[in-house]
Amino acid sequence: MTARDIAHVEIYTRDKVATVDYFVSAMGFTQIADSVEVDRSSTLLRQGEVQLVVTSGRGIWKFLEKHGEGIADIALTCDDVTATREAALAAGADPVGHRYGNPTVSGFGDVTHSLLQAAERSAVGLPPGRRWEITPQERRPAAGPIRLLDHIAVCLEGGSLEKVADLYRDAFGFSRFSSEYVAVGGQAMDSIVVRSASEHITFTLVAPDPAKEAGQLDAFLKRNAGPGVQHLAFLVEDIIPAVREFRDQGVEFLSTPDTYYDMLADRLTGLAPEIAELRDAQVLADSDEWGHLLQLFTRSPYERNTLFFELIQRQGSRGFGSANIRALYEAVERDRLTAR
């Protein structure tokens, strides 16, 4: 009754051409295959171990009208699909029928989990159940710097954090890795990080504290019409050249004030030699007992600001410290206030 890996993440979008171009031209993904159906079409993208399925068409208009562009399905490979589905239903998930022949259950909000048998993934990694047309090799660009999907950040409604964390424990065999309560001014948020036994799947669950002032998480829940994926975090080997490359190719990142770096040398003395480069690239830094973590968040490329992305480099770090979570919260809050 365990989930082992994320087979792929499916993004619903109004404009598949523009979304595919963003991932390919700006973020270095490779177009692997296309699938055309009666009411929708999909493109499979890959970089490192990350697989994204980008889907548009009239068959998904209800999701787009309600939530805007964003993650609709996170497909999980399982040791035993039948046992995992039964455990998920017993834990409180809802049956969603089948997606392309794969048993599917609810996750959070309207985001679902297609369940794939781990041993049955095709040699080329194509999501099963669709008629894929492979992109010719000569049309595939060089691979980008992204290695894998480090974690998925999920925004939940206030008061629901414990229940959702328990669902992933009971349904998919996840364990709680860490938890944090972060207060910024009159606002506050709770977070719980849950991780699969394989350590290949990590969800950072965040929710606003309903007893505090409304803030960015409340704004996301309103824009998204409920819980959903806030961002995907992509692991890279060397974040500074990756950020510069992506920025040159059109990716917009959240800004970081100079005062952040003035305090960083005192807070993280081991990174003192790198402060100038971090400041120049506007990369954020954090640490835990295992090492350092470097990260930067993009602005959302979507009209309703319902999904954005993160680049993350781990220099030994394994966790999500309070300074890390606070950095995201404050960066998004600055961007939100600037946009008013």
Side-chain angles (χ1 to χ4, degrees), residues 51 99 120 123 136 145 149 165 172 190 219 229 246 259 305-306 311 339:
Q51 291 208 129
R99 286 174 58 87
E120 293 180 357
L149 187 56
F172 304 111
D190 268 313
V229 173
F246 283 17
T259 51
N305 191 22
T306 45
L311 296 185

Side-chain angles (χ1 to χ4, degrees), residues 137-327:
Q137 283 289 139
E138 59 269 19
R139 288 173 49 194
R140 300 185 185 182
I146 292 172
R147 288 181 50 214
L148 52 82
L149 187 56
D150 185 85
H151 64 273
I152 296 177
V154 177
C155 186
L156 303 171
E157 294 171 332
S160 68
L161 206 59
E162 294 286 338
K163 180 180 178 180
V164 175
D166 288 347
L167 170 68
Y168 281 93
R169 176 196 65 199
D170 298 337
F172 304 111
F174 286 22
S175 60
R176 297 194 186 197
F177 180 80
S178 64
S179 62
E180 293 285 348
Y181 182 83
V182 176
V184 179
Q187 305 170 22
M189 60 170 277
D190 268 313
S191 71
I192 298 176
V193 176
V194 294
R195 182 169 285 171
S196 64
S198 66
E199 299 190 355
H200 294 170
I201 310 171
T202 302
F203 290 166
T204 303
L205 310 176
V206 298
D209 182 345
K212 300 292 185 178
E213 296 175 8
Q216 62 175 267
L217 298 186
D218 303 274
F220 173 89
L221 292 166
K222 183 176 180 180
R223 292 193 305 270
N224 195 65
V229 173
Q230 184 202 47
H231 72 268
L232 302 178
F234 300 125
L235 184 73
V236 297
E237 288 282 0
D238 194 344
I239 191 170
I240 291 176
V243 165
R244 288 171 175 161
E245 177 184 340
F246 283 17
R247 192 175 273 136
D248 288 345
Q249 292 167 176
V251 175
E252 295 185 15
F253 291 95
L254 299 183
S255 60
T256 308
D258 280 343
T259 51
Y260 173 88
Y261 299 99
D262 294 338
M263 297 183 291
L264 191 61
D266 294 330
R267 183 165 65 86
L268 301 177
T269 55
L271 283 177
E274 302 175 50
I275 298 297
E277 274 199 306
L278 294 174
R279 185 193 296 265
D280 182 65
Q282 295 208 312
V283 169
L284 304 172
D286 194 12
S287 67
D288 56 27
E289 58 266 44
W290 299 286
H292 294 110
L293 177 151
L294 308 177
Q295 62 186 161
L296 190 58
F297 306 96
T298 76
R299 286 193 170 89
S300 175
Y302 305 109
E303 182 179 358
R304 276 172 63 170
N305 191 22
T306 45
L307 176 68
F308 60 94
F309 308 101
E310 173 186 354
L311 296 185
I312 183 169
Q313 177 187 346
R314 295 188 178 275
Q315 297 177 333
S317 171
R318 296 178 55 200
F320 303 82
S322 58
N324 177 17
I325 296 172
R326 181 185 295 273

Side-chain angles (χ1 to χ4, degrees), residues 19-39:
T19 299
V20 168
D21 182 66
Y22 177 84
F23 284 116
V24 172
S25 299
M27 299 192 79
F29 278 80
T30 297
Q31 186 170 331
I32 300 298
D34 292 280
S35 171
V36 178
E37 303 169 58
V38 173
D39 64 350

Side-chain angles (χ1 to χ4, degrees), residues 114-128:
S114 298
L115 306 178
L116 282 57
Q117 191 67 38
E120 293 180 357
R121 292 187 66 188
S122 68
V124 290
L126 299 178

